Amino acid sequence: MAFVRFLIPCFVIGTDIVFSCENTDDLVGASSPGDIVIGGLFAVHSEMMHPEEYPIKPVIQNCAGFEIQIFLQTLAMVHAIEMINNSTLLPGVTLGYEIYDTCAEVTKAMASALRFLSKFNSSEDVVEFKCNYSDYIPRIKAVTGATYSEVSMAASRLLALQLIPQVSPASSAEILSDKIRFPSFFRTIPSDFHQTRAMAHLICESGWNWIGVIATDDDNGRLAVESFGVQAMANNVCIAFKEMLPAYLSDNTFHTKVDCAVEKIVKETRVNVIVVFMRQFHVLKVFKKAIERNVNKIWIASSNWSSAVKISTIPNIRQLGTIVGFGFKSRDISAFQDFLRNLHKMPTDNNNFLREYIMLLQVCAHLEYYDFQACISNQSQDDLLQNVENKHQIWKDDFLNANVEPGFIHSTVLAVYAIAYAIKGLCKNRNCKDPSAFTPWELLEELKNVTVIYDDKEIKFDSNGDMSTSYDVFLWKEIDGHMKITTMAEYDPGKGDFIFEDEEKKKAFLDLKKVQSTCSQHCPPGQMKKVTGSPHTCCYECVYCPENHYSNQTDMDYCYQCDNKTYWAPINSSTCYSKTIHFLAWSDWFAIFLLLLSAFGVVLVLSISIIFTKNLNTPVVKASGGLTVCYIILFSHFLIFLSTTFFIDEPTEFKCKTRQALFGISFSLCISCILIKSLKILLAFSFDPKLQNFLKCMYKPVPIVVTCTGIQVIICTFWLIFRTPFVKQNFSISRAIILECNEGSVLAFGIMLGYIAALAFICFIFAFKGRKLPENYNEAKFITFGMLIYFIAWIVFIPVYATTFGKYLPAVEIIVVLISNYGILCCTFLPKCYIIIYKQETNTKSAFLKMIYTYSSKSASSVAVSQISLDSKSSSSQATVSDSCKSQKNSVNGNAHFQVPGQTPIKGKALPKNTARTMARKRLSSI
């Protein structure tokens, strides 16, 4: 049982020494004759020994480090050829093979490829130099291999000289898809472009963006890192470090570089994911060192070693962490496994690889796996030749089946079948038992279009010579104390998706996200990444989105800007919010207060109307101009109060157009009527003849009211036609949209207000002239005071209105309208109402006559004094009053004369009492 336990973990069997070649046939590792011979290039050994003597001579050296997995690929090629020969695929034609060991060295591979180019049936292996190889028949028709991309590149360039088709089952470098540089190269696997994209996709899906990369410093490793770098950048993944290890174990710096790489992994504590593009023997060295340093990471394996059983059985491999790998999709290989079970029946005469394998097992069978290399190193060639007779006792342990990598076995068998199907296409009308029946370049053309039927599926090469098969995603799991390589998912390169067989495997995939491998913490929604001084975009700080900006995903590079017109966002916001629509609503407390004031004003207007209607024939009402004038003034006040309602609630086009026009016209009508009253009062109590004549010319009530109001109507009409007010959305407040009325034209608005102000000023001047009327009836004084209130209110309004914004802007104008309206209404009518209600004894004709008589007596004395003064200055002239307005009637209402005709004032004496009484009656009549 101890021997059984030894065999199962034995994967890379030491560093064996193979005999030096004495002639070119010694280079052949395995061969079999046939009508059509296929060459094979496989790195059965991991390195080529370097000579110690000096000077160095051009001698092909021995190889060391027997690779079980590559040895199995040579057996897969042999098995595929035997299956084809035993089938009806190529009836009457036998395939032969010549398999060479490249020892993972370009030099050794070039030597083998050079022999492939030698002329068929040439005893000296002569390669003819020709300008045209169209009819040239080389030793072989096609080549399977090589194992590593770097070797395939070199061999393919040489084989392209004669356009010998080369079908590799393992070389995945992306550059090999270039048909300009490698016109005769094919492969039965996808290129590294798909593998690196799958790796970057896995890393991105798992939420990692800060990773390390370790690769072999050869063409394959460098190209893989370059391809992965492009894919990583496309997925916003940053590479924290790249460590390149020497391609050959014989390099003097190899162990130092391994130590440096592991030290780098240890120091980069934020890097918890390592992508590895290396050969299997490199991975062994790195993992052993990493286990010593207690490194625990997630390792992403390339197809080179993702299914390597020899690595999965390293002691304490579980300490390294989680290993996820990508391998080529395999099919049923049960026939090959049966072939391995019967391998002991196979002769070893023409298979040096098999013979060497048997000798190695016999020599080192008593040791554990990790002592194999020391064992082989200490063995001489004689030791390897001993105990060959015990060959059969080792086959019972099924050691080779335990080391099979299904993906590589499948791709090797598929490569042989592709060549066989191409040969079948050429041999339909030819006698292919004749070696000269076709040339390699004709087989190359057939391969480009061949359809391989394998395992009941049709497979073809694409235009790049690749077969686009899918990948298996492996997860290394510890089961019953042993590390097992399980299939977690399938990756479809065409769709770029991971496919899971069941929820358990999907859960295992999602569990990878639990490991964090980021340079910076994730920025949640509401924040954005701010790049620091690091050259990597994955290293950043998280900063809040500014006001009116938002981010709704994790790790956003910038914040989106909200539509500032309709949306807003606070600092550190993950979404935009709709702005609140603001206007002076009915429900607003201030609007309610203003409405109550307007309603009270309406009630006041109605109350005054009732009072005046009930006291229609009293002197106070008659002195106010009569009921018609009072009703017009009160109606205009009512319209002004009503206009304030158009300033409240959501603005509409109708409200915006109506409110200012209604206010302006109503106010103009009110002021016009009050202007007529001012003119009438001034005309009734004026003793200045010149002023009287002017006033009599001016006093035309209806034309004045119509004209003054009509001008305002014209102003408002032009305003509404040419620059009409409209509803405007004000975005000056960040979190709200203020619906307001834009006046359309500030000039028109100013002209309207200015016109009202001009009327009010004229009214104020006339009223001011008559401010010294009788105390019991001093309407002019109250009109003057009302106009002052109007001026003060609107003078204050202008700066307040200009500096106020928001939904309360209409309220400012409402307040001014109410103040001016209340001022004029109260000053015009409340004194009269007070007299009507509380001073009824003064609201009689006799009381008014007495009051006017007293006022007229004083005024007549004043006029007499003035006349005497005038006579002293010009005694030759007698004061006469010319009838300057002869078209006027003879009272204020048509016949008003304020002088007593035919009576000459006497110096130093007062007017007679009957004159005062006469003047009093006339004034009362005119009022």
Side-chain angles (χ1 to χ4, degrees):
M1 290 302 295
F3 183 63
V4 174
R5 287 194 300 271
F6 149 68
L7 288 177
I8 293 177
C10 185
F11 308 116
V12 176
I13 305 186
T15 53
D16 173 50
I17 306 294
V18 186
F19 306 113
S20 300
C21 70
E22 299 295 333
N23 55 64
T24 54
D25 288 333
D26 292 336
L27 290 173
V28 181
S31 63
S32 178
D35 300 324
I36 299 174
V37 178
I38 299 175
L41 294 173
F42 296 91
V44 179
H45 292 85
S46 60
E47 62 177 322
M48 188 168 70
M49 304 300 292
H50 290 271
E52 296 180 357
E53 69 274 8
Y54 185 83
I56 300 175
K57 297 179 181 179
V59 177
I60 297 177
Q61 301 296 325
N62 299 324
C63 297
F66 193 82
E67 291 280 353
I68 290 295
Q69 283 73 23
I70 311 301
F71 168 62
L72 286 169
Q73 290 180 39
T74 66
L75 294 179
M77 178 178 175
V78 172
H79 165 64
I81 291 175
E82 289 184 0
M83 287 182 64
I84 293 168
N85 289 336
N86 295 329
S87 69
T88 58
L89 182 62
L90 295 174
V93 178
T94 303
L95 295 181
Y97 57 83
E98 284 186 9
I99 303 175
Y100 292 81
D101 182 11
T102 65
C103 301
E105 277 273 4
V106 172
T107 305
K108 186 75 178 293
M110 294 291 281
S112 303
L114 195 61
R115 194 171 193 226
F116 289 152
L117 297 177
S118 63
K119 193 171 184 178
F120 177 73
N121 264 346
S122 172
S123 59
E124 300 295 329
D125 291 333
V126 176
V127 179
E128 294 184 1
F129 177 73
K130 302 180 69 174
C131 294
N132 188 346
Y133 287 98
S134 298
D135 299 324
Y136 188 82
I137 306 298
R139 185 182 186 88
I140 50 91
K141 298 291 188 182
V143 175
T144 300
T147 304
Y148 300 114
S149 296
E150 185 179 45
V151 176
S152 289
M153 291 177 200
S156 181
R157 291 184 183 275
L158 192 58
L159 295 173
L161 180 64
Q162 297 180 11
L163 289 181
I164 297 176
Q166 175 188 357
V167 185
S168 173
S171 298
S172 58
E174 189 175 346
I175 194 175
L176 288 168
S177 296
D178 186 350
K179 296 298 102 179
I180 302 298
R181 284 181 282 186
F182 307 100
S184 62
F185 181 83
F186 298 84
R187 53 187 165 197
T188 53
I189 56 173
S191 78
D192 275 341
F193 169 80
H194 299 291
Q195 179 176 225
T196 54
R197 187 173 69 168
M199 288 178 171
H201 192 182
L202 169 67
I203 293 169
C204 183
E205 286 282 319
S206 301
W208 305 322
N209 65 6
W210 192 236
I211 60 152
V213 176
I214 305 179
T216 307
D217 192 11
D218 57 11
D219 288 343
N220 185 47
R222 287 189 294 271
L223 291 171
V225 171
E226 180 182 351
S227 177
F228 176 75
V230 173
Q231 298 294 340
M233 185 181 299
N235 286 274
N236 295 321
V237 176
C238 298
I239 299 175
F241 61 86
K242 298 176 186 177
E243 292 294 324
M244 308 298 291
L245 302 183
Y248 305 109
L249 298 178
S250 57
D251 192 306
N252 294 332
T253 64
F254 180 82
H255 294 288
T256 303
K257 292 289 183 66
V258 169
D259 292 341
C260 291
V262 174
E263 187 65 28
K264 186 72 173 180
I265 294 172
V266 173
K267 287 183 177 180
E268 288 286 349
T269 55
R270 291 179 297 178
V271 176
N272 291 313
V273 177
I274 310 295
V275 180
V276 182
F277 296 103
M278 290 194 298
R279 302 175 184 178
Q280 294 184 10
F281 48 82
H282 288 77
V283 177
L284 280 171
K285 298 292 185 182
V286 171
F287 275 12
K288 288 179 183 179
K289 192 67 178 179
I291 291 172
E292 292 177 8
R293 297 295 306 274
N294 294 319
V295 175
N296 188 288
K297 305 285 184 182
I298 289 183
W299 306 83
I300 298 181
S302 65
S303 56
N304 284 340
W305 65 277
S306 61
S307 58
V309 182
K310 65 182 178 184
I311 299 175
S312 67
T313 54
I314 297 176
N316 301 317
I317 185 69
R318 67 182 68 87
Q319 295 179 8
L320 286 175
T322 303
I323 299 176
V324 180
F326 290 84
F328 306 121
K329 189 71 177 176
S330 65
R331 303 291 179 186
D332 181 20
I333 59 169
S334 57
F336 178 67
Q337 291 173 329
D338 293 337
F339 171 77
L340 292 181
R341 294 188 185 96
N342 297 315
L343 191 60
H344 63 278
K345 300 177 183 179
M346 183 178 177
T348 60
D349 297 338
N350 64 340
N351 196 325
N352 294 331
F353 303 139
L354 179 59
R355 185 164 64 251
E356 182 181 356
Y357 166 69
I358 294 171
M359 287 190 292
L360 290 172
L361 286 181
Q362 290 173 346
V363 171
C364 301
H366 63 287
L367 298 174
E368 294 294 335
Y369 167 69
Y370 287 103
D371 294 326
F372 272 143
Q373 290 195 12
C375 169
I376 301 302
S377 300
N378 293 328
Q379 298 299 316
S380 65
Q381 293 181 359
D382 293 334
D383 294 331
L384 294 178
L385 296 174
Q386 294 175 0
N387 301 322
V388 179
E389 66 276 4
N390 298 325
K391 171 177 99 171
H392 294 288
Q393 67 182 12
I394 64 174
W395 299 112
K396 62 182 179 180
D397 297 309
D398 203 13
F399 170 67
L400 292 176
N401 269 318
N403 289 276
V404 167
E405 295 182 13
F408 285 110
I409 299 303
H410 169 70
S411 61
T412 303
V413 173
L414 192 59
V416 176
Y417 266 84
I419 296 172
Y421 270 92
I423 293 173
K424 179 182 179 180
L426 288 175
C427 293
K428 288 180 179 179
N429 301 315
R430 307 186 193 194
N431 179 18
C432 287
K433 293 186 72 67
D434 181 4
S436 60
F438 62 88
T439 56
W441 67 267
E442 292 178 293
L443 182 61
L444 174 65
E445 291 301 315
E446 189 68 25
L447 263 173
K448 293 177 181 179
N449 302 309
V450 72
T451 299
V452 183
I453 301 175
Y454 184 78
D455 199 16
D456 297 329
K457 291 192 175 182
E458 292 186 356
I459 308 173
K460 295 184 68 173
F461 293 106
D462 61 20
S463 59
N464 296 321
D466 304 333
M467 282 190 176
S468 299
T469 59
S470 57
Y471 289 92
D472 282 329
V473 183
F474 299 125
L475 177 65
W476 293 24
K477 296 173 65 175
E478 187 178 7
I479 302 174
D480 298 330
H482 300 283
M483 189 65 71
K484 300 294 183 182
I485 302 174
T486 63
T487 301
M488 178 172 61
E490 179 182 342
Y491 180 78
D492 186 349
K495 298 180 179 179
D497 293 331
F498 292 98
I499 303 170
F500 304 94
E501 290 183 0
D502 51 52
E503 289 298 322
E504 182 181 355
K505 292 183 177 180
K506 186 175 182 179
K507 182 179 181 300
F509 180 85
L510 295 176
D511 285 343
L512 296 174
K513 295 183 177 181
K514 295 178 180 179
V515 177
Q516 296 292 319
S517 186
T518 57
C519 181
S520 304
Q521 293 296 322
H522 292 294
C523 296
Q527 298 180 7
M528 66 175 177
K529 297 188 292 186
K530 180 182 178 182
V531 179
T532 60
S534 172
H536 299 285
T537 59
C538 299
C539 299
Y540 50 81
E541 296 176 356
C542 294
V543 296
Y544 292 146
C545 290
E547 189 175 5
N548 291 327
H549 291 73
Y550 74 99
S551 62
N552 55 6
Q553 297 177 11
T554 302
D555 289 339
M556 290 191 66
D557 295 322
Y558 55 89
C559 297
Y560 298 121
Q561 185 175 6
C562 299
D563 182 359
N564 287 340
K565 290 188 175 181
T566 54
Y567 293 92
W568 70 280
I571 297 175
N572 190 26
S573 178
S574 59
T575 186
C576 288
Y577 301 95
S578 297
K579 287 187 175 182
T580 307
I581 306 297
H582 283 188
F583 51 83
L584 190 60
W586 296 108
S587 57
D588 191 281
W589 69 269
F590 196 54
I592 294 173
F593 173 72
L594 295 176
L595 285 172
L596 289 176
L597 289 177
S598 296
F600 179 75
V602 172
V603 171
L604 186 60
V605 169
L606 295 176
S607 300
I608 294 171
S609 300
I610 293 171
I611 293 172
F612 271 55
T613 303
K614 286 184 176 182
N615 297 273
L616 176 62
N617 296 319
T618 60
V620 170
V621 175
K622 290 181 177 181
S624 297
L627 199 59
T628 302
V629 175
C630 291
Y631 276 168
I632 293 174
I633 297 175
L634 289 172
F635 179 69
S636 64
H637 281 295
F638 169 78
L639 292 179
I640 294 170
F641 283 123
L642 181 64
S643 70
T644 59
T645 60
F646 291 94
F647 290 85
I648 299 175
D649 201 30
E650 182 176 353
T652 62
E653 294 292 332
F654 175 74
K655 288 182 179 180
C656 292
K657 294 176 181 178
T658 304
R659 63 182 193 175
Q660 299 291 6
L662 180 59
F663 160 72
I665 296 172
S666 301
F667 222 101
S668 297
L669 178 61
C670 177
I671 300 297
S672 299
C673 293
I674 295 174
L675 177 61
I676 293 302
K677 291 183 66 175
S678 301
L679 284 172
K680 183 177 179 181
I681 294 169
L682 188 59
L683 182 60
F685 290 96
S686 174
F687 292 93
D688 188 347
K690 293 182 180 180
L691 180 60
Q692 274 196 346
N693 291 332
F694 173 75
L695 292 175
K696 281 190 288 184
C697 293
M698 288 290 297
Y699 186 71
K700 296 179 180 180
V702 175
I704 289 177
V705 171
V706 171
T707 302
C708 292
T709 308
I711 293 174
Q712 187 69 285
V713 171
I714 294 172
I715 292 172
C716 292
T717 301
F718 274 88
W719 183 11
L720 294 178
I721 291 175
F722 296 105
R723 297 295 295 274
T724 182
F726 58 90
V727 179
K728 174 188 174 184
Q729 292 182 333
N730 190 333
F731 304 103
S732 59
I733 298 178
S734 61
R735 301 186 180 186
I737 299 175
I738 302 171
L739 288 183
E740 59 186 16
C741 288
N742 186 293
E743 303 304 343
S745 172
V746 177
L747 177 63
F749 183 46
I751 291 173
M752 184 200 76
L753 295 178
Y755 178 71
I756 296 173
L759 289 178
F761 182 73
I762 295 172
C763 187
F764 170 77
I765 295 298
F766 287 154
F768 183 78
K769 287 286 187 178
R771 68 189 182 281
K772 296 181 179 180
L773 293 178
E775 292 297 326
N776 290 340
Y777 178 64
N778 197 350
E779 188 175 16
K781 181 169 66 175
F782 289 110
I783 292 175
T784 304
F785 187 66
M787 293 302 118
L788 284 175
I789 294 175
Y790 168 82
F791 284 127
I792 293 171
W794 284 96
I795 290 172
V796 173
F797 163 78
I798 294 173
V800 173
Y801 188 84
T803 56
T804 303
F805 67 94
K807 69 177 183 178
Y808 290 108
L809 181 61
V812 174
E813 189 168 354
I814 293 175
I815 292 172
V816 176
V817 170
L818 290 176
I819 291 173
S820 57
N821 201 29
Y822 267 112
I824 295 174
L825 176 65
C826 294
C827 291
T828 304
F829 290 100
L830 288 188
K832 296 181 178 62
C833 292
Y834 177 77
I835 293 173
I836 292 172
I837 297 173
Y838 298 104
K839 297 287 186 177
Q840 295 182 3
E841 66 277 6
T842 62
N843 189 18
T844 62
K845 185 175 181 180
S846 60
F848 259 69
L849 187 61
K850 182 179 179 182
M851 172 196 63
I852 296 173
Y853 173 77
T854 304
Y855 177 77
S856 298
S857 298
K858 294 179 181 179
S859 299
S861 299
S862 176
V863 170
V865 172
S866 299
Q867 188 65 39
I868 291 168
S869 176
L870 289 172
D871 288 342
S872 66
K873 292 182 180 180
S874 181
S875 57
S876 63
S877 60
Q878 185 177 356
T880 58
V881 178
S882 61
D883 191 2
S884 60
C885 295
K886 293 181 180 180
S887 62
Q888 300 290 330
K889 294 185 179 179
N890 294 327
S891 68
V892 176
N893 297 321
N895 56 358
H897 261 279
F898 292 93
Q899 260 189 296
V900 181
Q903 188 170 359
T904 304
I906 300 171
K907 185 176 180 181
K909 294 183 180 180
L911 289 173
K913 291 184 179 179
N914 60 337
T915 303
R917 290 193 187 96
T918 303
M919 294 178 68
R921 284 196 296 269
K922 289 184 177 182
R923 279 159 177 73
L924 177 61
S925 174
S926 66
I927 295 172

